[in-house]
Amino acid sequence: MYFARLLRAAGLAVGTGKVMDAVTAVRIIGIGSRQDFYWCLFSQFVNRYDQRELFDQAFHIFWRNPRIMEKMMGAMLPTIHVDEDSEHEKLNRRLADALEAPGVDAREERDSEQIEFDASFTFSSREVLQDIDFEAMTAAEIVEAKRAIAKLRLPIMDVPTRRFQRDERGYRVDMRSSLRAALRSADSIPLKFKKPRRRHPPLVMLCDISGSMSRYSRMFLHFMHSITNDRDRVHAFVFATRLTNITRHLRHRDIDLALDNVADAVSDWSGGTRIGACLKEFNNTWSRRVLGQGAITLILSDGLDREAAEGLGWQMERLAKSTRRLIWINPLLRYDGFEPKAAGIRAMLPYVDDFRSSHNLKSLAELTDVLSHLQPRIVGSLSRRGVAN
Amino acid sequence: MTTSLPDSIEDTLALLNRGNYIADRSLATTLFLALKMGRPLFLEGEAGVGKTEIAKVLSTALGRRLVRLQCYEGLDVSSAVYEWNYSRQMIEIRLAEATGNIDRENLSTDVFSKEFLIERPLLQALRSDDQGPPVLLIDELDRTDEPFEAYLLEILSDFQISIPEIGTIKAQTPPIVIITSNRTREIHDALKRRCLYHWVDYPSAERELQILTTKLPHIGAQLSAQVVAFVQGLRKQDLFKLPGVAETLDWADALTQLDKIALDGDAIDSTLGALLKYQDDIAKIRGSEAAKLLEQVKSEVIQLEASNG
């Protein structure tokens, strides 16, 4: 069944058993109405919520004109583009890739190639990839990098909460379980202990999507997407001239759909930068809503401000004072001899707890180390730096 | 004094009025619906717009008991729902030992009985008394963490709490639940879905004047009109924290304590701390900005008086 092959190529896990089941199911139901047929296949092939969209699109394209598909998959013409692309503007990119993939006969061959390729990627090509600047990557390298980013996990930094959990080595007596145990034991009250439970604090990410950042911001969006889907209590914002909250858009598991949603929501792609104004907007309308309970703030920006850093220091100070840690990730830092000369950077720097570069995969991976071993902020360091400035 | 639940939106308004709470119609509508449908009322709004006050007024006006659960980070079952009285349990065990009357089965049921249970707000709220079910105020829910929110979800849907040692305690009649949040964190959609939502906004000038004269009956007409106009003007400014109704009342009170009968520049500058709570906001308004606003206010009040007269 070509349809199953298409789905598999698009990234759905469709085993042979599933295909057999599907054929049986179709036989039972009979090819009557399109609707019945759709749900019949749906029930067979889709087993996770986030696969829904992919299936939906694949179904409609494939069953509209199976001939075209046959031609495509059979004719080994990798260069053919899907004609419907224009009418299906929102066609899923992964699906499009799958349609363009080499034809059926070449499939097996390619699979073995794929395995080899994967193996090599894990060693050398990843090494190489790690050091290439995002800016200098080719399209293919970007695809690989995106894949690597999707695998990136933020190790969860823990801070003690005020809740307790049972722990025999804890330092507080857990009266409740002690007394319960007392009723079970013969003649004494065995002491049970507890210790504070640990939990990771909320994370707030502010990503610059202005013109000067355009090459990096795509990568950062992928980064933000993988983090948003990896852990709870994450808030994501993008800014150039205006601030936009994209947390809900990024929640979508499918990265292409999530980014489409973001693109719809954001109107100032690659515009100028008004960091000061955007931070002010964040401070005034969002900080009190998302920075509760000791959040960590990540700023992903190059610090080049169109408005010559007007009021920026002020807003940065406020932000720094209302967050547990303020970490600035700046892709410009990679240049040797980078000096914070731009007014924006000079205004922001004194208030940042950690200043990191992030122009390639390696630095993003390093960032995860920083987040997992956060030292407590030195008390008073902020005000001292403020004065020194 | 026990009053039955209001039958209409007008009734609700009147009820709140009797408790010296001047509500606008949208709030009264939501409250009326919440009471009628038996749903929790979820109030969100800036600090100092009178969210908590609604629950207090409601409980006094209806003559119901007010059970208040103040939320904070790390709030857990033992301080929100119930806790065993450990020291009494220990004494009980010791006594049983001393009398030599150790029957394990009996002892466990004895020690874990209602006698040794300390009821915390949520459990208290499930008990009705002669006046009817109490008003349960869950204040500043945004301060707790998500696990507690999830637990609350369970309670708010069935109004029952299960205690492993005793069994399930269920409310005969569900309490009137009012939840407030300052929005320092977004409350989960699942919880919001179960509640009726109302955003408590800053009052209009007219309503604020009404509130001021109700709460501070001794204040002069000129001063109150000016105070309200000034605060309304301030809320149009670009400030970090806009003053709420509570601040207006504080400020008006402060001015009357200073025996002012009208606003002047010096009085504003020296009492601004009652109104604005952030240093940069105060620095911005103090002096010329305040004087400018004052001029505006004075002309407005004169206009208003002229149009009324």
Side-chain angles (χ1 to χ4, degrees), chain B:
Chain B
M1 177 195 79
T2 315
T3 321
S4 56
L5 295 179
D7 292 323
S8 66
I9 300 168
E10 278 74 24
D11 264 9
T12 320
L13 263 177
L15 185 82
L16 290 174
N17 266 339
R18 252 180 288 143
N20 279 349
Y21 191 95
I22 316 290
D24 51 14
R25 206 175 163 83
S26 61
L27 174 62
T29 311
T30 329
L31 181 61
F32 170 66
L33 284 176
L35 293 175
K36 262 276 176 276
M37 297 161 66
R39 291 281 201 93
L41 177 62
F42 188 87
L43 298 172
E44 232 175 20
E46 300 293 334
V49 288
K51 298 185 294 293
T52 310
E53 196 65 19
I54 292 174
K56 288 184 183 163
V57 166
L58 202 61
S59 83
T60 44
L62 289 174
R64 304 281 178 90
R65 188 160 53 95
L66 177 70
V67 179
R68 178 173 178 164
L69 176 65
Q70 173 67 49
C71 296
Y72 55 87
E73 204 181 331
L75 182 69
D76 56 4
V77 170
S78 64
S79 47
V81 189
Y82 70 96
E83 177 75 308
W84 292 103
N85 192 341
Y86 299 120
S87 33
R88 274 199 61 196
Q89 282 178 326
M90 301 245 253
I91 294 171
E92 186 73 18
I93 294 173
R94 184 73 197 92
L95 277 177
E97 279 173 357
T99 50
N101 169 27
I102 305 180
D103 178 1
R104 300 213 72 77
E105 284 302 306
N106 278 341
L107 191 61
S108 74
T109 43
D110 279 356
V111 168
F112 288 107
S113 65
K114 282 200 172 162
E115 208 182 327
F116 298 95
L117 194 69
I118 305 173
E119 291 188 355
R120 303 285 194 211
L122 285 181
L123 196 55
Q124 285 167 19
L126 296 189
R127 255 189 318 103
S128 301
D129 41 26
D130 333 331
Q131 293 107 24
V135 176
L136 171 62
L137 167 64
I138 300 173
D139 211 2
E140 304 187 352
L141 179 66
D142 48 337
R143 282 178 194 264
T144 66
D145 43 11
E146 289 84 354
F148 185 74
E149 216 177 286
Y151 183 78
L152 204 59
L153 204 64
E154 205 183 305
I155 293 181
L156 291 186
S157 51
D158 323 331
F159 292 105
Q160 64 175 30
I161 289 170
S162 53
I163 301 171
E165 294 88 349
I166 293 182
T168 307
I169 297 177
K170 191 170 167 51
Q172 277 137 1
T173 28
I176 301 167
V177 184
I178 294 187
I179 303 172
T180 75
S181 159
N182 281 333
R183 265 222 307 194
T184 60
R185 160 172 92 71
E186 295 294 340
I187 304 298
H188 201 279
D189 293 345
L191 187 74
K192 281 187 175 172
R193 195 173 61 77
R194 282 172 175 72
C195 307
L196 291 181
Y197 178 84
H198 184 75
W199 172 259
V200 187
D201 212 344
Y202 297 118
S204 64
E206 190 192 344
R207 182 148 289 121
E208 191 158 27
L209 191 61
Q210 234 177 327
I211 295 170
L212 199 60
T213 41
T214 315
K215 291 275 179 185
L216 298 168
H218 305 300
I219 192 169
Q222 191 192 5
L223 182 62
S224 54
Q226 283 182 346
V227 163
V228 169
F230 190 86
V231 173
Q232 294 276 337
L234 266 189
R235 292 204 187 114
K236 293 195 188 88
Q237 302 266 333
D238 179 27
L239 295 174
F240 185 66
K241 169 75 182 84
L242 300 175
V245 185
E247 275 87 11
T248 315
L249 291 174
D250 271 358
W251 193 44
D253 196 23
L255 289 169
T256 37
Q257 297 295 337
L258 294 174
D259 296 330
K260 298 282 176 197
I261 47 162
L263 282 181
D264 59 71
D266 287 342
I268 292 176
D269 280 357
S270 53
T271 53
L272 213 50
L275 206 52
L276 299 172
K277 304 293 163 78
Y278 281 87
Q279 208 278 326
D280 23 319
D281 284 351
I282 294 178
K284 187 172 171 185
I285 295 300
R286 173 168 285 165
S288 62
E289 200 62 40
K292 210 163 77 191
L293 203 56
L294 182 61
E295 282 310 308
Q296 208 181 321
V297 163
K298 275 182 177 158
S299 63
E300 261 176 47
V301 171
I302 288 167
Q303 261 177 24
L304 202 71
E305 274 165 4
S307 67
N308 284 348

Side-chain angles (χ1 to χ4, degrees), chain A residues 199-258:
Chain A
R199 185 157 198 255
H200 61 92
L203 181 70
V204 177
M205 294 181 286
L206 298 165
C207 180
D208 189 342
I209 50 163
S210 60
S212 53
M213 287 280 291
S214 60
R215 201 57 198 246
Y216 300 104
S217 50
R218 310 255 154 200
M219 280 299 165
F220 285 152
L221 279 177
H222 278 257
F223 176 65
M224 279 156 65
H225 177 260
S226 77
I227 292 178
T228 312
N229 282 297
D230 183 39
R231 49 193 272 176
D232 61 339
R233 304 212 285 178
V234 177
H235 295 272
F237 295 82
V238 291
F239 66 92
T241 50
R242 290 190 309 114
L243 186 77
T244 319
N245 186 348
I246 56 165
T247 314
R248 285 202 182 230
H249 308 294
L250 283 184
R251 285 267 162 78
H252 216 290
R253 281 243 169 228
D254 190 303
I255 173 83
D256 294 325
L257 267 184

